[in-house]
Amino acid sequence: MKLRELAHSRTGDKGNTLNVSVICYDAQHYEHLRATLTPAYVKAFLSDVVLGDVVRYELPRIAAFNFVLGNALGGGVTRSLALDAHGKSLSSALMAIEIPDITR
């Protein structure tokens, strides 16, 4: 199943660092995503874009995660030649990551 079936996302940029939030539609899916959506898994999935570290912050009270993606924006908005210098499309890209079916 795709992550988008269990969560939605928002992004924000700070220089060459991108924050990607993943918010569960239903809090009961939080632990499943916590076990599956590791920093290493996210980094591997976005390896073409994210050249730095991936750090995950857990927000269990709101059933969400904040991923901080280092060296992900081609130097930052004022330096990048990318069409999406703010990295907004990466939240949509992350929603395509495969997650084990929660019913299994």
Side-chain angles (χ1 to χ4, degrees), residues 42-87:
V42 170
K43 181 169 172 77
F45 186 74
L46 298 174
S47 64
D48 290 343
V49 179
V50 179
L51 305 178
D53 293 334
V54 173
V55 178
R56 178 179 76 180
Y57 294 93
E58 299 177 8
L59 305 157
R61 288 188 177 183
I62 59 170
F65 305 92
N66 183 43
F67 290 90
V68 179
L69 314 176
N71 197 10
L73 296 173
V77 173
T78 60
R79 300 179 75 185
S80 176
L81 297 176
L83 291 175
D84 180 18
H86 291 277

